[in-house]
Amino acid sequence: MDQLARVGTRHGRPWTEENAWAALTLLSGETKVGWIGSSELSRLKEKLRTMESAELPILARRRASVRHFRGTPDVVQLLRTHLLLSGAAAMADDDIAERFGLTGGAGAAEGYAGAGDADALRDAYGLIEDREGNVVIREVTVTGAFAEGKVPVAAIALDLLESPATRERSAGQRVIKELLAA
């Protein structure tokens, strides 16, 4: 319910996972989005040119299946090696931290993994399902968006919008506005 209040709703259909990742990839400055057709790509580019920042989290909400867990501090550190880090956890990268004006992220593991990996990681590390946990695994089927093993900046910004921390949400919103204005 808190997330719904932060992100909001609107009438209309959210993007498919493929289109959401194409949009996030384009917003992040990448040009290779070979997993969608040229007509879809053209429509997405036009939408991104005229989009308000509040629309992006609503339209891209189907970008991943999100699972929340709780793990020990040692397990959190181990999990970070299995995920493509996003949200606050991505601030471990100095360039990303500077882009968002944030630091830290060491106390949580948040990131992207392939479909089905959350269950495997849960079983391997004894994670406990917990909506307020310190582990967030976002499962995706579209892998083309993760060029060179990195999460697009626009996706990190969207993930920060879902944070309970005001400062992280503000940083995510600011970067989304900057990306849409570019």
Side-chain angles (χ1 to χ4, degrees), residues 81-161:
T81 65
H82 293 284
L83 302 172
L84 295 175
L85 299 181
S86 188
M91 300 311 126
D93 179 299
D94 291 339
D95 293 334
I96 296 294
E98 183 177 335
R99 175 78 169 96
F100 286 91
L102 298 171
T103 59
E110 178 177 356
Y112 288 90
D117 287 351
D119 286 335
L121 291 169
R122 177 199 63 207
D123 295 345
Y125 291 104
L127 298 172
I128 299 168
E129 299 262 356
D130 181 352
R131 180 73 183 108
E132 303 300 319
N134 56 351
V135 176
V136 179
I137 300 174
R138 300 172 185 276
E139 293 182 306
V140 295
T141 59
V142 176
T143 58
F146 302 97
E148 301 173 21
K150 294 185 178 184
V151 177
V153 170
I156 295 170
L158 281 183
D159 295 341
L160 285 170
L161 281 181

Side-chain angles (χ1 to χ4, degrees), residues 5-75:
R6 285 192 297 269
V7 174
T9 62
R10 78 160 184 67
H11 297 289
R13 188 173 55 198
W15 289 324
T16 63
E17 183 181 352
E18 291 81 6
N19 285 351
W21 283 109
L24 296 174
T25 300
L26 290 169
L27 272 177
S28 299
E30 297 294 324
T31 57
K32 294 182 182 178
V33 289
W35 59 91
I36 65 169
S38 59
S39 61
E40 290 172 302
L41 180 60
S42 179
R43 282 193 300 271
L44 270 179
K45 286 180 178 179
E46 181 59 30
K47 179 63 179 169
L48 291 172
R49 276 193 282 278
T50 61
M51 178 183 287
E52 296 290 325
S53 63
E55 290 179 272
L56 186 61
I58 297 164
L59 292 172
R61 69 180 178 256
R62 291 189 182 162
R63 67 189 176 279
S65 173
V66 183
R67 305 274 302 274
H68 298 265
F69 301 94
R70 175 149 314 279
T72 66
D74 290 342
V75 165

